[in-house]
Amino acid sequence: MTDRSLTARNYAMGVVALLLAFVVFIVPFLFVAINAMKTAPDAAQLDFSLPERWVFWENVVTTVQTRDYALLLAYWNSTLITVCAITILVIFGAMVGFVIQRRPSPVSRFVYVLILSGLMIPPAVVPTIWVLQGINLFKTLQGMILIQVAYGLGFTVLLFRAFIATIPRELDEAAIIDGAKPWQVFFRVVLPLLKPVTVTVIVVQSISIFNDFTHPLYYLPGRDNVTVQLTLYNFQSQFASQNNLLFMNILLITIPPLIVFVFFNRQIVAGMTSGAVKG
Amino acid sequence: MARVVLRNLRKSFGALEVIKGVDLEIEDGEFCVFVGPSGCGKSTLLRMISGLEPHTSGAIEIGGRDVSGAEPSERGIAMVFQNYALYPHLTVRENIGFGLSLARVPKEERNRKVDAVAEVLQLGPYLDRKPKALSGGQRQRVAIGRAIVRDPEVFLFDEPLSNLDAALRSQMRIELTELHERLGSTMVYVTHDQVEAMTMADKIVVLNGGRIEQVGTPMELYESPATPFVAGFIGSPQMNLFEGGAARTMGCDVYGIRPEHLTISDGAGQWVGRVRHVERLGADTIVHLDVPDLGPLVARVDGGLTYAIGQQVHASPDPERAFKYRG
Ligand SMILES: Nc1ncnc2c1ncn2[C@@H]1O[C@H](COP(=O)(O)OP(=O)(O)O)[C@@H](O)[C@H]1O
Ligand SMILES: [Mg+2]
């Protein structure tokens, strides 16, 4: 095979891959975007034609105002849940990862097994609701935050543990000789080195928590507790013919995570693959 | 004053006993080198002195005080690690001053001390850099600076030069020796390199399999190695050691003769052999011989002499300097 045919083949494969990605990712998005700008009867057709009349701004206003500004409340609720859950996840994930990686003992190994099983065993919804009811956290944002922390902790600990394993133990030991207490070793030496993986955790988890549909559906019923993905129901049940608003809603709730992802995707990949101590 | 005394020190990892009873006294201000093959327990012994590794039994005294249960930071020690272990997120100044800032030393005093140390180690221009932006030798200096600023009674070094290239290593050997003279502190230095041990030590401790094989000054170890192990470990090129039949004909179990104590001649001599290989070092020439009675034999001769590969020569040991071991 000559060099030229090789590059031609690479080129062709690149084009095919791009086309595939286009069909899988961009086409649905375009479909949503186009239909979000149609009038209700027009959107009821559910086809790929351009809108007969462009009603972008009207649709935005109507969507936001629906059900007494439920979308804005949902943004607030989802943001609150995300910020609180992420804060707890990062602090505990890093600490647990540190202890599990640095102090192997029967206890920490047992905890590690628990964490792995947390990743593998699917959550049981009904018993979780019993527990939440038992401690009066069912239908509360606090309860939802704790649920998100519980679901996210396994993966977070795993990421932190793997990253901490790349930090030479001598660094801890040097700090101990310098007179650092265990908590100082963590907060002054290890934690500052966890920046790349922390960015990864924040971005990955906040997108999944912000966009979560099923868990708020099970554990957080109630009008005042609505989260962004649940606003989709606003246009599903009421009238059959409000596809345009449904799509506009999708557009409005997809954009914030998309922006986060576009801005941070470099750091995400860096945090997943890099070690702490370079050069 | 900081004498370091180890009494019947033992260490086991699970069922594996790594340090099998070490008794040792390191005098105040002494430069003591632990030397031995890889895996013999040098690092473990050093880490027990530092307190990073708890010992299984026995006692450790530093400066007349039993520190067996003390925290590393309370033992008056500082340690320099093989991979430097600099804090990557801190500048050189913060790296050196880290211990002081933990101890809540006021900022001016801290800066003054760091500047003084940087002066000694010629690190002044690099104080605001991160470790990433330093060369290996500079990183090593920062690690040493971090030790000096603690003003310890005992310095502990774990193979600090093994990540440096040969030229830098010999330069750092000299700098460390000078530093020791200037500070007058006790230093315990671990290496597997017998050249480092010979050139820097006041006292060498040869370790083998978790036990002390011999303790002495470099010349004592060179001139009267107590065991075949020490005989083979100290000196370069290695001493020629023979066991079995060859040794029995000379009335011992192990017979040793250093390459520099062999004479090679064309005429009569004790052993006859053929030249297999010649290494010319300039001042000296190392001649590798095959001697049918003994096996391979290495001799160090004057650099002016030349031998052809395959040439038959005679080798004679200096009987005064041969070593005979029993048992
Ligand atoms: N944390 C540990 N757990 C189990 N075995 C260890 C541990 N640290 C060291 N060892 C064992 O102890 C022996 C001595 O190790 P070390 O002191 O590092 O040797 P050296 O520094 O002389 O090369 C080795 O056989 C090593 O495998
Ligand atoms: Mg070692």
Side-chain angles (χ1 to χ4, degrees), chain B residues 13 16 18 36-45 53 158-159 190:
Chain B
F13 290 109
L16 177 72
V18 172
S38 188
C40 69
K42 309 179 293 289
S43 298
T44 307
L45 195 55
E53 198 80 71
D158 192 351
E159 310 215 10
V190 162

Side-chain angles (χ1 to χ4, degrees), chain A residues 138-140 215-226 230:
Chain A
F138 187 53
K139 297 194 196 177
T140 64
H215 299 133
L217 184 66
Y218 300 147
Y219 306 118
L220 200 57
R223 271 185 85 96
D224 291 342
N225 292 332
V226 66
L230 294 182

Side-chain angles (χ1 to χ4, degrees), chain A residues 86 88-102 108-119 148-165 186 194 197-198 200-202 205:
Chain A
I86 292 292
I88 301 176
L89 269 176
V90 166
I91 293 174
F92 279 107
M95 287 186 177
V96 174
F98 177 70
V99 172
I100 289 179
Q101 207 284 321
R102 285 297 202 251
S108 66
R109 268 187 287 272
F110 177 70
V111 171
Y112 190 54
V113 169
L114 278 186
I115 284 167
L116 285 182
S117 33
L119 274 181
Q148 295 290 13
V149 169
Y151 284 153
L153 201 57
F155 183 58
T156 308
V157 167
L158 225 58
L159 272 184
F160 274 115
R161 194 195 87 105
F163 195 83
I164 291 170
F186 178 75
L194 297 180
V197 72
T198 304
T200 307
V201 165
I202 289 177
Q205 296 284 14

Side-chain angles (χ1 to χ4, degrees), chain A residues 171-204:
Chain A
L171 236 48
D172 304 31
E173 294 178 339
I176 290 170
I177 287 186
D178 270 342
K181 304 274 176 295
W183 58 273
Q184 287 172 317
V185 173
F186 178 75
F187 282 103
R188 298 199 47 176
V189 176
V190 175
L191 196 58
L193 297 176
L194 297 180
K195 218 193 297 168
V197 72
T198 304
V199 173
T200 307
V201 165
I202 289 177
V203 174
V204 171

